[in-house]
Amino acid sequence: MINRLKNISLTQWMLISMFLGLIVGLTLNLYVKDPFIKNTILMDHIFYIGGNGFIKLIRMMVIPLVFCSLVVGVSSISDMKKLTRIGGSTIALYLITTAIAVIIAIIISNILQPGSGLTFTNSEPINNATINQTFADTLLNIIPENIIGSLAEGEMVPIIIFAVLIGIFLTKFKDETKNIKHVFDEANKLFMEMTGFIMKFAPIGIFCLIAKTFGSLGFDVIIPLLSFIGCVIVCLAIQMFVVYPIILVAITRLNPIIFYKKFFPVMLFAFNSCSSNATIPINLEKLYELGVSNEVSSFSIPLGATINMDGTSIFQVCAVMFTAQVFGIHFGLDMMLLIVMTIMLISIGTPGVPSAGVITLNTVMASVGLPLTTVGLFFGIDHIVNMFRIVSNVVGDAICTICVSFKNNYLDTDIYNGKKSPPYNKFEN
């Protein structure tokens, strides 16, 4: 019995804790009427401390983790001297697809309104100064006037800009600054390990957060949450089966149906593994079978697993819009542009740790002045939508790689169309 419990993964424990929290919360809401037991002991102390304590631990890691991840992510794009043209076009295409994904998520979230009808008692002030700022203020506020102050205050957009600049100049002065880069590499590894350790307490935190939410709101929160999950899946479906095929046809004139038929095993593996990094080997192998040169895919696929997070970006936009709708906040064009810019920048340095999308969601929420009250809900359902968004990330990496390979004459279209087989399998022992 003990060995079986040890074999349960963190992801499975988080799903188990989510359902247990759901059951316990609804039971308390429906059947426990004693206010001392329900509210004083459980809601206001045990569940409140357990849930918010976990969230505070995660928030503690957000700034150092995102800052170091961004510096390392940008500075790692130093091999582009060998593949200047390929590297530039790959990154450009990744950023374009991310921008499209963010815009789609904003539009669909405004149409479906997943957060409408849900009311939260918010203990955090809403930063109206941030929400109501003009476009000129938005542009000026991304420039860090005092980076130490920005780090202390958690002003994420200036921090992101500063981290990107450090990464760029570490790349420019590669030899002279290798010791500084090493410090950031080690710091990034340290903070990722610390975050991984904190995530071991996620099942407890998720149980408390979900139990408190459903214990307070009961069945009222179920429909909005299902609407949110549906909203994310609709956006992901549009990105995967409309946007990517259009890009593939527009650039290469190749049949996208051939791609999806051959690439389906990779999509299935990504869905079950819930990891872009774990999918890299099978992704490379399948792209080789589609006629893509390993010279391109060996560069673009690992890079895409780091900076091309279209599925994660969609999830974060839907979460931001959901929260805004819950609190009755309406964003203007200026704030929409800030959301697009923030998510595109933060996708470059999304860390490779469990629930990274929700961890960096704190950054996006803070950048637009939203309270973090709903983040606990997203932790609870993260692994449900994560299976779908990882598939979108992996498909996006592959489509962009095929397009870049085609434009730079590194794609054998006869192999892609099944007219001939690859000369040999580079991935066999």
Side-chain angles (χ1 to χ4, degrees):
M1 183 65 179
I2 295 176
N3 290 331
R4 287 183 180 179
L5 291 175
K6 288 181 179 179
N7 291 330
I8 299 177
S9 67
L10 178 63
T11 298
Q12 292 170 325
W13 275 120
M14 291 169 76
L15 287 171
I16 291 169
S17 67
M18 182 189 72
F19 286 112
L20 287 177
L22 171 66
I23 292 169
V24 170
L26 290 177
T27 301
L28 289 172
N29 182 266
L30 292 173
Y31 300 111
V32 179
K33 303 302 180 183
D34 188 334
F36 179 75
I37 295 175
K38 177 182 173 182
N39 297 323
T40 305
I41 296 178
L42 295 174
M43 297 293 182
D44 297 338
H45 285 85
I46 295 176
F47 293 158
Y48 179 80
I49 293 171
N52 285 276
F54 171 69
I55 293 294
K56 290 192 75 171
L57 286 171
I58 289 295
R59 290 186 199 175
M60 175 182 73
M61 299 306 304
V62 167
I63 291 176
L65 184 64
V66 171
F67 181 75
C68 291
S69 293
L70 274 169
V71 172
V72 171
V74 175
S75 62
S76 66
I77 311 173
S78 57
D79 292 332
M80 283 195 298
K81 289 185 178 179
K82 289 192 287 185
L83 295 168
T84 303
R85 186 174 58 176
I86 295 173
S89 56
T90 300
I91 294 169
L93 194 53
Y94 281 159
L95 292 177
I96 289 169
T97 58
T98 300
I100 294 172
V102 171
I103 293 168
I104 288 172
I106 290 173
I107 294 171
I108 299 300
S109 295
N110 278 306
I111 293 172
L112 298 182
Q113 295 281 315
S116 60
L118 180 62
T119 303
F120 261 90
T121 302
N122 182 33
S123 59
E124 295 181 53
I126 296 173
N127 192 342
N128 290 310
T130 302
I131 292 171
N132 297 324
Q133 66 185 5
T134 65
F135 182 66
D137 290 333
T138 300
L139 290 178
L140 287 174
N141 287 339
I142 69 173
I143 303 172
E145 183 177 353
N146 179 352
I147 191 58
I148 303 299
S150 295
L151 287 166
E153 295 295 327
E155 297 171 354
M156 293 308 304
V157 177
I159 292 170
I160 291 169
I161 296 295
F162 188 66
V164 170
L165 286 173
I166 291 177
I168 290 171
F169 281 93
L170 284 176
T171 300
K172 182 178 180 180
F173 301 106
K174 187 179 355 179
D175 294 330
E176 295 92 332
T177 57
K178 61 183 179 181
N179 290 333
I180 299 176
K181 186 179 184 305
H182 181 70
V183 169
F184 278 106
D185 288 338
E186 293 298 316
N188 185 52
K189 187 183 299 183
L190 172 66
F191 293 133
M192 287 184 69
E193 286 293 326
M194 290 175 66
T195 304
F197 174 75
I198 291 171
M199 286 302 298
K200 291 181 180 180
F201 297 95
I204 299 172
I206 288 172
F207 171 81
C208 293
L209 289 165
I210 296 295
K212 187 177 189 302
T213 299
F214 282 91
S216 302
L217 301 176
F219 286 96
D220 293 342
V221 77
I222 292 179
I223 292 177
L225 274 182
L226 291 176
S227 299
F228 171 78
I229 295 171
C231 181
V232 174
I233 292 174
V234 167
C235 294
L236 292 173
I238 294 172
Q239 184 75 4
M240 277 196 292
F241 301 116
V242 178
V243 174
Y244 292 148
I246 289 174
I247 291 173
L248 182 65
V249 172
I251 294 177
T252 68
R253 299 294 189 269
L254 295 171
N255 187 346
I257 296 176
I258 295 175
F259 167 79
Y260 283 104
K261 281 183 177 179
K262 293 184 177 181
F263 203 71
F264 182 74
V266 184
M267 297 167 65
L268 189 61
F269 182 84
F271 184 84
N272 287 296
S273 67
C274 292
S275 171
S276 296
N277 290 332
T279 313
I280 288 175
I282 188 174
N283 200 345
L284 290 171
E285 181 177 1
K286 191 58 65 176
L287 284 172
Y288 180 75
E289 293 173 6
L290 282 163
V292 176
S293 169
N294 191 48
E295 292 182 49
V296 177
S297 60
S298 62
F299 168 80
S300 64
I301 295 302
L303 179 65
T306 303
I307 73 171
N308 189 38
M309 299 289 181
D310 295 352
T312 303
S313 299
I314 285 172
F315 167 77
Q316 291 179 334
V317 172
C318 291
V320 168
M321 300 306 294
F322 178 92
T323 303
Q325 290 158 12
V326 167
F327 292 107
I329 299 168
H330 300 283
F331 291 133
L333 179 61
D334 296 341
M335 291 309 299
M336 294 293 187
L337 291 174
L338 179 61
I339 291 170
V340 172
M341 180 183 62
T342 303
I343 291 179
M344 286 181 65
L345 285 171
I346 212 166
S347 68
I348 297 172
T350 300
V353 296
S355 297
V358 190
I359 293 171
T360 54
L361 178 60
N362 285 268
T363 302
V364 183
M365 293 278 210
S367 70
V368 295
L370 287 176
L372 304 180
T373 311
T374 57
V375 171
L377 282 178
F378 301 131
F379 262 109
I381 62 173
D382 177 55
H383 287 279
I384 296 175
V385 295
N386 188 43
M387 296 183 291
F388 295 95
R389 70 174 185 247
I390 290 298
V391 177
S392 176
N393 290 343
V394 170
V395 171
D397 294 347
I399 292 283
C400 290
T401 298
I402 291 172
C403 292
V404 171
S405 299
F406 178 85
K407 295 299 289 184
N408 291 278
N409 299 317
Y410 282 97
L411 176 69
D412 191 324
T413 55
D414 287 337
I415 295 176
Y416 181 93
N417 291 313
K419 294 180 180 179
K420 67 178 184 180
S421 301
Y424 61 93
N425 192 343
K426 294 183 180 182
F427 298 92
E428 290 181 350
N429 292 330

